[in-house]
């Protein structure tokens, strides 16, 4: 029984831990990877049930170290997928976020890189804008007094600090484009930052969009917030 509990808990853990890297390196498709999550939850629950049976009926075979390991592996297998499901239910099912919902910054140099992506480079439209407005009302155009050249330099520095891949820096039109690759699944999400003059002020807008997936689990909004914080740090605000 002890071996069975350990084996099932390990399988549960692997069903949750491995799909990300396997998808990242092109071994699994995304649907199969997420199916692994589902079976990981089932296997995790099964491991805990088996452990309970072992404790009740074969207590003399229970070892604290192996039991604790089984609980930890099973808990990870159960908690991570359920946490993702909970997050998905708490955010709108969108993947294109912008601080300017009327005239979102457009992808230029990145557009060809998204040619084969399930999610096109074009903005997703009014329905997405309405859902974003309800879910993330704090994401709005930023206003700065620094010169445009200084903001462009600070933006590039912030992009570098965050570990994003710089794709385009066009100071003539005030556009910087970059790609952020997530660690676990290797999802590529694209970002475009636009700096424009408005009298004595400068307006900064950020747009972040996933290449794949219907819901981003709030990742693009989080990315924009992180960028804003980093930009302000670079500017000494």
């Amino acid at each position: 029984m002890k071996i069975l509990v350990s084996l099932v808990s390990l399988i549960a853990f692997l069903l949750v831990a491995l799909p990300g890297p396997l998808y990242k390196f092109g071994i699994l498709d995304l649907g199969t990877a997420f199916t692994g999550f589902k079976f990981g939850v089932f296997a995790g629950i099964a491991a805990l049930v088996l452990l309970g049976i072992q404790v009740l009926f074969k207590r003399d075979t229970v070892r604290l170290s192996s039991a604790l390991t089984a609980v930890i592996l099973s808990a990870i297998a159960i908690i991570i997928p359920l946490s993702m499901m909970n997050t998905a239910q708490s955010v709108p099912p969108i993947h294109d976020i912008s601080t300017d919902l009327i005239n979102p910054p457009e992808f230029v140099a990145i557009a060809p890189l998204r040619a084969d992506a399930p999610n096109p480079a074009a903005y997703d439209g009014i329905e997405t804008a309405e859902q974003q407005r309800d879910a993330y009302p704090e994401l709005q155009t930023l206003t700065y007094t620094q010169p445009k050249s200084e903001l462009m330099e600070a933006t590039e520095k912030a992009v570098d600090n965050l570990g994003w891949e710089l794709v385009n820096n066009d100071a003539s039109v005030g556009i910087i484009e970059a790609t952020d690759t997530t660690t676990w699944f290797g999802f590529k999400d694209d970002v475009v930052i636009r700096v424009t003059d408005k009298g004595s002020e400068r307006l900064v807008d950020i747009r972040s969009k996933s290449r794949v997936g219907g819901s981003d689990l709030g990742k693009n909004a989080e990315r924009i917030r992180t960028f804003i914080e980093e930009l302000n740090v670079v500017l000494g605000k």
Side-chain angles (χ1 to χ4, degrees), residues 40-52:
V41 173
F42 295 155
I45 294 172
L48 293 179
V49 170
L50 289 172
L51 179 60

Side-chain angles (χ1 to χ4, degrees), residues 31-58:
T32 302
F34 284 139
T35 298
F37 276 21
K38 179 176 68 175
F39 285 106
V41 173
F42 295 155
I45 294 172
L48 293 179
V49 170
L50 289 172
L51 179 60
I53 293 173
Q54 183 185 7
V55 170
L56 288 174
F57 299 105
K58 295 189 177 183

Side-chain angles (χ1 to χ4, degrees), residues 131-149:
Q131 292 183 74
Q132 180 192 319
R133 191 176 288 111
D134 292 336
Y136 314 117
E138 75 283 2
L139 296 182
Q140 299 181 11
T141 299
L142 307 173
T143 303
Y144 294 93
T145 58
Q146 286 87 347
K148 186 174 182 179
S149 59

Side-chain angles (χ1 to χ4, degrees), residues 99 140-162 164 176 192-195 202-206 223-237:
T99 55
Q140 299 181 11
T141 299
L142 307 173
T143 303
Y144 294 93
T145 58
Q146 286 87 347
K148 186 174 182 179
S149 59
E150 181 180 344
L151 279 173
M152 291 294 290
E153 291 177 3
T155 294
E156 183 174 353
K157 177 63 175 175
V159 165
D160 183 64
N161 290 349
L162 292 171
W164 300 351
I176 286 181
V192 54
I193 302 107
R194 180 180 65 202
V195 181
R202 252 56 59 197
L203 305 182
V204 175
D205 283 295
I206 311 102
R223 182 177 294 109
I224 290 176
R225 295 190 199 99
T226 300
F227 171 79
I228 293 172
E229 291 173 2
E230 185 61 32
L231 178 61
N232 287 335
V233 168
V234 172
L235 290 170
K237 293 189 64 175

